[in-house]
Amino acid sequence: MSMNENQPILSVRDLETMIETKRGEFAAVDGVSFDLYPAETLGIVGESGSGKSLTGLSLMRLLPRGIGRISGGSVELDGSDLTAIPEARMRKVRGRDIAMILQDPQTSLNPAFTIGDQIVEAMRLHRKPQPEGFMAMAVDTLRKVRVAAPEMRVKAYPHQMSGGMRQRAVGAIAISCQPKVIIADEPTTSLDVTVQAQYLRLLRELQEQTGMGILFITHDFGIVARVCHRLAVMYAGQVIETGPVKRVFDRPSHPYTQALLNSVPKLSGHQGRLPAIEGQPPALWAKPKGCRFSPRCPYADDRCRAEQPPVTHLGGEGRDRHTASCWRLLP
Amino acid sequence: MQRFFLVKLVESAIALWVITLIVFGLTHFSGNPVGALLPDDASPEQVAFLINKLGLDQPIHIQYLRFLGNAVQGDFGLSMKWPGQSAMDVVLSRLPATLTLGGMAMLISVVIAIPLGVASATRKGTIVDSFAQGIALIGQSMPSFWLGIILIWVFAVGLGMFPTSGSGTWAHLVLPAISIAWFQISALTRLTRSAMLEVLDAEYVKLARAKGVSEPIIVWKHALRNAAVVPLTYFGVLAGSVLTGSVVIETVFSWPGLGWTAIEAIKARDFPVVQSVVIVFAVIFILANLLVDLLYAYIDPRIR
């Protein structure tokens, strides 16, 4: 494996995903580009409906059949374009190269099978058995995600475990085949705060051990600040700003990012009433012609409303690259 | 698991006991059996003798206990229509015929309905789905006795492929089994379809796909295992309706089973046989539901 630290493991370019609705077919993911580097966590942040979850599903090619399809762009992993390979090969990629952690541990484990069986199923598909057998490997994997008494837990059914424990089991399934990339779609929203903190710490530790890249899909800036190295802010199907977390938090450049960060409560200092962003994000079928954010943007002018802004490079290269798409950033 | 089994066993026993109460009650409220047993010109001595012999002069609870005591031993008295045989012997000798027919009908419905339901769910909105829905609609719209007569008319009388009625060979089994099965197929197909549609949307199916599991395994292992609870529930009801349905279908096809026996016994006012049939039907029904409960526990670990 050529693990160049500064070579992205996953490169997404101009990804476009169409969604079929009663009013016709519309681009729900609308030209998304980003890179994911080894041992890095990239936060994909946005409101519900911004296309962040669909981006995740597009990478896995698990869009709901007959409703969603990838209509353009590329997803490069290890030199091959995942949007172009046949389904049979894609199935080998799923679970082995890219794994997924879903939102709700309550429902993402199959109630009819034991935890051990569900971990073993993934390993049986993608790995060779060690002499001690798959079940022993499953016990090992559970130990890695800090499940107490893993020898007992492999025989347990999901309903016999707590929510936090179940989400760890989902994590165990995800890391069971040592993937290069994990897509975590709001993995902690349904957990209570202390369990959430433990889980995030666990993810970070696993990442340090394995060097996997994590794509962390969330709407929560607090989590982004805690676990992500970089972030990409999505609005109406587009990435409108991306960069290292610290840099973006210090110098948010897109008015939408600024507004979002302003609406997060702060612990220190006096803030008064939290500012809200006026209006609603546009519906899929009613996107504005120019900048997608222009109807809600306090600075928008005629050019903003007429033409989409280009990506502006604001500094840094590679992992440090900071870009945003706003007309006002141009001289 | 053992505890679950024990609870179900006790429940079944209670259900059976309630049924003996009902059977006993019904025969008592339906009038004095002496009138049916003796000719109209019987002397008062003869009537008194029979009342005494049958224990009808005893208090009602004593009569019930005697009935229950005999029932536990399978003794419901002698048949009147089939002289020389005990009622239970008559019924038990007809039981295999009904079980063969009912079993065949259920086998046909499960073997056809489950794959059909699964296929129509996974190919929702396609021609396969419409075909399955069509089969289901037709089956639910036709009364089974009418279907039986039409099948006789077309395949026995018209094409001469199967015998019109009676029993003895596998060929005799085909038409009555299809008559019973089609209606069951309808309900089972639709239940399987809707249960599968719901389960295929579940997060754990999404996660299975994300693991790289192939579509057939997702459908038949991950999804069906969870969807199966719904058609399985219906299976308990199915066992009952196959039995009650057999009363009609066995008459249409002159199939010498329990249903046919029940009709004959009712026509002849053969109360011991009618009682025995009802009890045997009840036992089969209870056993079928006990089996369903056990299968539940096997399929869904949360129930154990």
Side-chain angles (χ1 to χ4, degrees):
Chain A
M1 202 162 31
S2 64
M3 260 303 208
N4 189 336
E5 280 285 290
N6 295 314
Q7 205 65 24
I9 25 175
L10 184 76
S11 271
V12 178
R13 288 290 172 272
D14 306 315
L15 183 68
E16 191 182 81
T17 297
M18 303 292 274
I19 289 295
E20 186 80 42
T21 70
K22 272 176 237 147
R23 303 176 191 229
E25 209 184 25
F26 301 96
V29 177
D30 196 357
V32 163
S33 301
F34 59 80
D35 289 317
L36 181 66
Y37 292 90
E40 175 193 64
T41 303
L42 171 66
I44 307 266
V45 200
E47 300 169 70
S48 42
S50 60
K52 56 189 196 303
S53 290
L54 278 173
T55 304
L57 288 177
S58 301
L59 301 188
M60 294 293 272
R61 276 181 42 188
L62 286 176
L63 295 161
R65 230 176 312 161
I67 297 172
R69 66 181 179 93
I70 297 172
S71 52
S74 63
V75 176
E76 207 161 289
L77 179 93
D78 267 349
S80 61
D81 180 3
L82 297 186
T83 63
I85 60 177
E87 173 62 22
R89 247 187 82 198
M90 188 62 209
R91 219 164 36 231
K92 295 259 189 300
V93 171
R94 286 185 207 124
R96 189 191 63 191
D97 297 325
I98 310 184
M100 212 167 182
I101 298 174
L102 298 173
Q103 187 168 355
D104 188 0
Q106 218 70 13
T107 55
S108 54
L109 289 168
N110 194 322
F113 300 100
T114 62
I115 300 299
D117 283 341
Q118 298 189 49
I119 299 173
V120 167
E121 183 178 41
M123 294 198 289
R124 216 183 277 283
L125 286 166
H126 304 299
R127 292 182 68 178
K128 292 197 172 60
Q130 310 262 287
E132 69 270 22
F134 281 123
M135 210 33 107
M137 290 159 74
V139 171
D140 249 16
T141 314
L142 278 180
R143 195 171 288 127
K144 273 190 200 143
V145 295
R146 302 279 158 71
V147 167
E151 300 84 359
M152 312 265 290
R153 293 294 180 188
V154 283
K155 297 188 202 100
Y157 287 93
H159 72 276
Q160 295 163 329
M161 301 169 90
S162 68
M165 198 72 91
R166 267 183 251 184
Q167 193 59 310
R168 277 160 195 267
V170 173
I173 292 174
I175 63 161
S176 64
C177 301
Q178 298 151 339
K180 301 183 188 88
V181 176
I182 284 188
I183 300 173
D185 189 354
E186 310 242 15
T188 56
T189 6
S190 58
L191 303 178
D192 65 59
V193 185
T194 44
V195 180
Q196 188 176 353
Q198 288 169 7
Y199 195 74
L200 294 175
R201 208 176 310 132
L202 174 73
L203 276 182
R204 182 150 236 177
E205 284 168 16
L206 289 172
Q207 183 176 48
E208 278 161 15
Q209 290 162 24
T210 62
M212 64 191 178
I214 300 178
L215 204 64
F216 205 102
I217 299 170
T218 181
H219 61 266
D220 186 338
F221 269 110
I223 289 181
V224 171
R226 211 156 37 179
V227 298
C228 296
H229 304 98
R230 287 193 306 130
L231 84 165
V233 183
M234 283 191 73
Y235 185 80
Q238 298 177 327
V239 173
I240 50 103
E241 181 160 5
T242 177
V245 168
K246 190 167 178 345
R247 199 183 149 115
V248 174
F249 273 48
D250 287 346
R251 268 174 289 165
S253 302
H254 195 286
Y256 178 62
T257 318
Q258 291 166 358
L260 275 183
L261 285 171
N262 272 332
S263 61
V264 176
K266 293 179 181 63
L267 278 181
S268 56
H270 185 75
Q271 204 174 9
R273 199 184 160 85
L274 280 178
I277 308 173
E278 289 295 317
Q280 296 285 323
L284 269 183
W285 48 86
K287 283 186 192 166
K289 193 159 142 262
C291 171
R292 298 289 148 85
F293 188 59
S294 59
R296 300 170 78 187
C297 181
Y299 316 108
D301 56 22
D302 287 346
R303 181 169 61 167
C304 296
R305 283 182 275 269
E307 252 181 287
Q308 288 210 39
V311 177
T312 306
H313 183 199
L314 301 166
E317 275 310 329
R319 290 170 186 253
D320 295 326
R321 193 177 166 86
H322 182 193
T323 63
S325 308
C326 176
W327 283 115
R328 290 172 60 254
L329 297 170
L330 288 172
Chain B
M1 187 71 191
Q2 278 150 346
R3 198 189 125 84
F4 175 80
F5 182 65
L6 220 63
V7 168
K8 290 293 162 194
L9 215 57
V10 170
E11 282 176 11
S12 304
I14 293 172
L16 200 56
W17 173 66
V18 171
I19 287 161
T20 63
L21 275 180
I22 294 171
V23 168
F24 176 77
L26 279 180
T27 38
H28 265 263
F29 301 136
S30 71
N32 193 340
V34 175
L37 288 173
L38 290 176
D40 288 342
D41 54 354
S43 68
E45 288 78 30
Q46 284 171 314
V47 173
F49 173 76
L50 192 65
I51 285 178
N52 181 264
K53 188 180 166 226
L54 294 177
L56 294 174
D57 50 353
Q58 303 282 329
I60 191 99
H61 62 276
I62 300 289
Q63 287 190 41
Y64 172 70
L65 286 179
R66 267 176 60 173
F67 167 82
L68 192 62
N70 291 334
V72 168
Q73 299 164 43
D75 180 6
F76 291 88
L78 291 173
S79 164
M80 297 168 205
K81 182 178 159 62
W82 292 277
Q85 295 188 60
S86 83
M88 197 39 103
D89 282 345
V90 171
V91 169
L92 289 182
S93 67
R94 304 304 171 96
L95 185 59
T98 289
L99 289 184
T100 311
L101 179 58
M104 183 52 99
M106 280 198 253
L107 189 71
I108 294 176
S109 24
V110 169
V111 164
I112 292 183
I114 302 289
L116 201 60
V118 169
S120 86
T122 53
R123 294 173 183 74
K124 188 184 166 204
T126 65
I127 185 124
V128 178
D129 189 18
S130 313
F131 173 76
Q133 303 265 48
I135 296 271
L137 182 68
I138 294 171
Q140 280 198 316
S141 318
M142 291 185 300
S144 57
F145 71 88
W146 182 83
L147 175 63
I149 293 167
I150 294 296
L151 288 179
I152 291 174
W153 182 48
V154 174
F155 292 99
V157 178
L159 299 173
M161 290 163 71
F162 300 103
T164 51
S165 66
S167 69
T169 67
W170 289 103
H172 285 92
L173 199 57
V174 175
L175 295 184
I178 291 175
S179 312
I180 299 175
W182 201 333
F183 183 79
Q184 323 294 357
I185 289 172
S186 310
L188 265 184
T189 304
R190 293 164 70 137
L191 283 171
T192 308
R193 179 180 182 271
S194 63
M196 280 297 284
L197 281 179
E198 192 170 309
V199 168
L200 283 171
D201 263 347
E203 288 288 293
Y204 54 80
V205 166
K206 218 198 244 176
L207 189 71
R209 288 203 179 103
K211 286 199 289 191
V213 179
S214 68
E215 207 56 23
I217 293 189
I218 286 176
V219 170
W220 293 100
K221 184 178 158 195
H222 289 258
L224 185 59
R225 177 80 179 249
N226 286 283
V229 169
V230 177
L232 187 63
T233 308
Y234 184 70
F235 191 82
V237 182
L238 191 88
S241 72
V242 163
L243 290 176
T244 49
S246 74
V247 173
V248 175
I249 290 298
E250 286 181 5
T251 308
V252 170
F253 286 92
S254 303
W255 183 267
L258 275 188
W260 179 81
T261 308
I263 295 289
E264 293 297 309
I266 289 167
K267 281 198 275 193
R269 287 174 155 244
D270 190 346
F271 282 115
V273 171
V274 174
Q275 282 182 350
S276 307
V277 170
V278 172
I279 293 286
V280 167
F281 270 0
V283 169
I284 296 176
F285 197 74
I286 286 169
L287 285 180
N289 279 287
L290 190 62
L291 182 71
V292 166
D293 282 335
L294 292 181
L295 283 174
Y296 260 165
Y298 169 71
I299 286 182
D300 190 343
R302 283 168 296 188
I303 294 172
R304 276 171 221 166

